[in-house]
Amino acid sequence: MTAVTGLAESEASQSVAGSDIGSGEVRFPPADKQRLARKFRRFLSESSVIIDDETIRPYECDGLSMYCEMPLLVLLPETVEQVQQIMRICHAEQVPVVARGAGTGLSAGAMPHAGGVLLSLARFNRILGIDTKALSARLQPGVRNLAISEEAARHGLYYGPDPSSQIACTIGGNVAENSGGVHCLKYGLTVHNLLSVDVVTAEGDRVTIGSDGYDGCGMDLLALLTGSEGLLGIVVEVQVRLLPEPEVAQVVMAGFDSVQQAGDAVGEIIARGIIPAGLEMMDGFAIAAAEDFAQAGYPRDAAALLLCEVDGTREEVQEHINQTEALFRELGATSVRTSRSEQERALLWKGRKSAFPAVGRISPDYYCMDGTIPRGQLAHVLTEMQKMSEHYDLRVANVFHAGDGNLHPLILFDANVPGEFERTEAFGGAILELCVAVGGSITGEHGVGMEKIRQMPSQFGDGEVSQFHGIKRAFDLNGILNPGKGVPTLRQCQEYRAIGKARQPVEQRD
C-alpha cells in the first residue's frame, strides 16, 4: 500500500495538528527535540531514544500506510517505571504521545503526531505467567497474539480472539482496538476475554482496572478502556482468560454460485441453533487470490465461499457437521467439503488468514475497510456494494467474519493513477455509511483512528460526541494521548455532515 498524496495527505496532516477537547481546540506548544531527548536519556539508553529521520521512518504509519506522519522522536522503554517517567515529562511539557505495538493496525490509529513522541511498547514482550487453575494469563502488552495460544497450548488451553494478523499483532494493540478474529462469533472479542489491565495515565500514574474475578464492584472501566484506541491511557500489563482446548474441531467449506446465496446461508446456520466457532465468507476475487497464495484447495469456480468451524465434544461436533453439510446443500452449495484431520483444518484456515497479503498480489494497492452490519442485511449490503463497485469503477474483494456481520471489503486500486486514491477513499466512506444505514457500525475491530473519523458523525449525534469528549477530559485533561484520532470535534462533525450531504443525490437531501 502507498502513502496518500495530494489533498488527502494535506487533510490528514491538518487533522492531527491539534485536538479539540470539548468545544475548544487544544494546540500543543512547539517542542525542542534535542532538549526533550536529553531529558529522556537521563533514564533511557542511547538506543532507546531515536531522533534521526532515517531510523524514525519505519514508525511513520501503521498497517494503513496511506496516512503517514513523522514523529518528533521515538522512545523504546523497557520498564513500566520508564513509561511512567516518559508520561510525566510529556504531561508537564504538553507533548503529544502516541502508543504503538507491532504497527499492524488498519485505521491509522498509531500514526504519530508531528510534534510528539511515538511510544513503542515492542520491548514489553514477556508472558508473565499462566495460571492453569484460574484459566488466565498475565502478559506484557508487546506479547504477540499467537504466542499466547502457543504457550497456553502446553497446558491444554488457548486464547479465543485470533485476528488474521495474530502472527504479528500484540495483545496491547488488541486491547486498544478491541480486536476479534475468525473465532469471535462463539468466543467473543477482546473485551469478552479480559480480566484486568494495568494502565499508565496521562499524568504518569499506574492503575489497575478490573480484577481476577469475573465481576467487580464499581463502574465497568475495563470495557471503557477496551477499544479506546490509546486515547485514555497506556496499557502496560494485561490479564486474559484462557479456555480449555475443545476435544474436536472441524471445518466445513462450501462453495456457492453467488454471494447472495452464501449470505443467506449465514443467517440460516444461526437460525437453526448452531453456533459455529467461526463462520467466514470470501468472494470470487478473494478465493482466487488466497488459493494462488496458500493452495488450500478452495473451489476456484465458486462465486462465494463459506468456512464454518464447529468445535466441542466428538458427539456434538459430528451432529452439527451433519446438519451443516445438509443445510449448505439444501441452500444451493455447489461443493461441500469437511476437514478430516487437524492438518486439513489448519490448511483451510491458512487460506482465509492469508487473504489480505494474497490480495496484495493481484493489485498494486488495496484499502481494507471494516464495518459491521446485522446478519440479516448481509445479502442486501453485498448487493449494494457491487453496485458501488461499478459506480466508482473499482474492484472490491470481500473477506469477512460473516457470522458476526463484520465486513472487511478490500478495495483494489493503484495509487500511481491520479485521483484513484481519492475515489477509493470515497468508496470506502460510502460502504461505512451503508453499514450505519442498515443498523450497523462503522467499525467492528479495526477502530476509528484517522481513517473513519469522517464517518463518525453519520453514526453519532452532537450530544453523543460531546459525551465522548467528556470522557476524554476525565482521563486526559490536556489531550496529549493520541490526539486527533477516534472522535471528531463538533466543528469537524458539522463539516463532515455537510460534505456527506453534498455527495447525496438531490432527491435524498433534507
Side-chain angles (χ1 to χ4, degrees):
M1 294 168 66
T2 309
V4 58
T5 58
L7 176 62
E9 183 178 57
S10 173
E11 289 177 352
S13 299
Q14 291 171 12
S15 296
V16 296
S19 175
D20 290 3
I21 304 299
S23 59
E25 186 174 343
V26 174
R27 293 291 179 180
F28 302 104
D32 184 321
K33 177 192 289 192
Q34 297 297 335
R35 186 175 68 85
L36 271 179
R38 286 194 296 272
K39 285 195 171 189
F40 293 132
R41 285 184 178 127
R42 293 172 187 167
F43 56 92
L44 295 173
S45 65
E46 188 74 20
S47 63
S48 298
V49 182
I50 302 173
I51 63 172
D52 65 286
D53 287 350
E54 183 177 355
T55 312
I56 286 176
R57 183 71 62 183
Y59 297 92
E60 69 178 354
C61 64
D62 60 11
L64 184 66
S65 58
M66 292 172 292
Y67 298 89
C68 303
E69 188 67 83
M70 290 281 282
L72 198 65
L73 47 83
V74 175
L75 304 178
L76 292 96
E78 298 181 28
T79 68
V80 175
E81 291 74 23
Q82 289 174 344
V83 174
Q84 290 180 272
Q85 287 179 277
I86 290 168
M87 292 311 304
R88 287 169 187 147
I89 290 172
C90 291
H91 181 258
E93 301 272 350
Q94 293 189 54
V95 174
V97 179
V98 177
R100 177 187 173 100
T104 59
L106 293 170
S107 65
M111 186 182 77
H113 189 286
V117 166
L118 192 287
L119 176 58
S120 170
L121 297 161
R123 293 177 176 173
F124 287 75
N125 58 7
R126 291 189 300 123
I127 295 176
L128 302 174
I130 302 281
D131 189 330
T132 58
K133 293 182 179 179
L135 299 183
S136 65
R138 287 177 55 245
L139 315 157
Q140 290 188 319
V143 173
R144 292 179 303 115
N145 179 285
L146 184 60
I148 303 171
S149 283
E150 287 177 337
E151 180 65 21
R154 297 174 54 211
H155 308 282
L157 305 171
Y158 76 104
Y159 178 61
D162 56 343
S164 295
S165 59
Q166 67 175 156
I167 193 172
C169 68
T170 62
I171 188 63
N174 293 169
V175 172
E177 304 298 343
N178 194 22
S179 303
V182 299
H183 289 100
C184 67
L185 173 60
K186 185 173 183 178
Y187 297 112
L189 302 165
T190 300
V191 69
H192 305 113
N193 292 272
L194 285 180
L195 291 172
S196 67
V197 295
D198 279 24
V199 176
V200 172
T201 67
E203 294 82 10
D205 298 324
R206 179 175 182 172
V207 296
T208 300
I209 307 296
S211 68
D212 292 346
Y214 280 6
D215 195 11
C217 57
M219 298 180 183
D220 189 2
L221 297 181
L222 184 58
L224 180 63
L225 283 163
T226 307
S228 61
E229 305 188 37
L231 293 167
L232 306 182
I234 309 292
V235 175
V236 292
E237 189 174 311
V238 183
Q239 186 178 21
V240 301
R241 60 179 54 142
L242 301 175
L243 301 164
E245 289 185 333
E247 184 180 343
V248 178
Q250 285 183 274
V251 177
V252 180
M253 176 180 69
F256 292 86
D257 282 336
S258 72
V259 292
Q260 288 78 16
Q261 282 181 305
D264 291 338
V266 169
E268 196 62 34
I269 282 282
I270 308 299
R272 297 287 179 94
I274 299 172
I275 305 298
L279 184 53
E280 300 289 299
M281 182 172 167
M282 303 166 67
D283 69 6
F285 272 133
I287 293 168
E291 182 61 16
D292 287 342
F293 184 81
Q295 298 181 350
Y298 290 171
R300 290 180 178 273
D301 58 343
L305 176 74
L306 289 181
L307 292 172
C308 179
E309 179 165 293
V310 180
D311 65 5
T313 64
R314 291 188 183 279
E315 295 78 10
E316 178 186 19
V317 169
Q318 189 58 59
E319 179 183 352
H320 284 169
I321 287 291
N322 292 340
Q323 292 177 13
T324 301
E325 290 176 339
L327 177 60
F328 284 157
R329 291 191 176 97
E330 176 188 328
L331 294 174
T334 54
S335 63
V336 178
R337 170 184 159 197
T338 300
S339 64
R340 299 302 175 189
S341 67
E342 181 60 26
Q343 292 74 21
E344 188 177 5
R345 183 181 79 92
L347 182 59
L348 291 175
W349 280 125
K350 179 183 178 183
R352 163 61 184 90
K353 292 197 171 187
S354 302
F356 285 12
V359 167
R361 302 173 72 194
I362 65 173
S363 176
D365 304 277
Y366 68 79
Y367 189 24
C368 177
M369 302 309 298
D370 165 52
T372 303
I373 61 171
R375 279 191 297 266
Q377 295 288 338
L378 193 54
H380 166 69
V381 169
L382 291 173
T383 300
E384 291 301 307
M385 281 171 49
Q386 182 56 42
K387 294 177 183 177
M388 290 181 190
S389 175
E390 296 168 3
H391 172 75
Y392 287 100
D393 193 24
L394 292 166
R395 296 176 298 166
V396 59
N398 283 293
V399 185
F400 54 90
H401 311 310
D404 59 308
N406 186 193
L407 308 180
H408 291 320
L410 305 174
I411 303 173
L412 312 184
F413 73 103
D414 186 347
N416 294 312
V417 177
E420 192 151 306
F421 171 73
E422 288 76 12
R423 202 161 75 249
T424 298
E425 197 173 35
F427 184 6
I431 290 174
L432 298 179
E433 288 161 9
L434 173 62
C435 290
V436 174
V438 299
S441 169
I442 63 172
T443 183
E445 58 176 338
H446 293 175
V448 174
M450 278 293 303
E451 177 203 32
K452 304 185 188 76
I453 201 163
R454 294 179 184 86
Q455 280 72 48
M456 280 288 282
S458 68
Q459 184 168 349
F460 299 105
D462 289 351
E464 293 158 316
V465 171
S466 294
Q467 289 293 330
F468 292 150
H469 284 301
I471 293 170
K472 171 68 170 172
R473 276 199 307 274
F475 281 82
D476 178 20
L477 185 59
N478 292 336
I480 65 171
L481 290 171
N482 211 7
K485 313 279 183 60
V487 183
T489 66
L490 294 179
R491 173 180 54 79
Q492 288 173 323
C493 285
Q494 295 165 359
E495 292 172 356
Y496 297 152
R497 289 191 187 112
I499 292 170
K501 187 174 181 180
R503 285 203 307 258
Q504 292 178 349
V506 173
E507 64 270 16
Q508 293 183 15
R509 299 177 193 170
D510 294 334

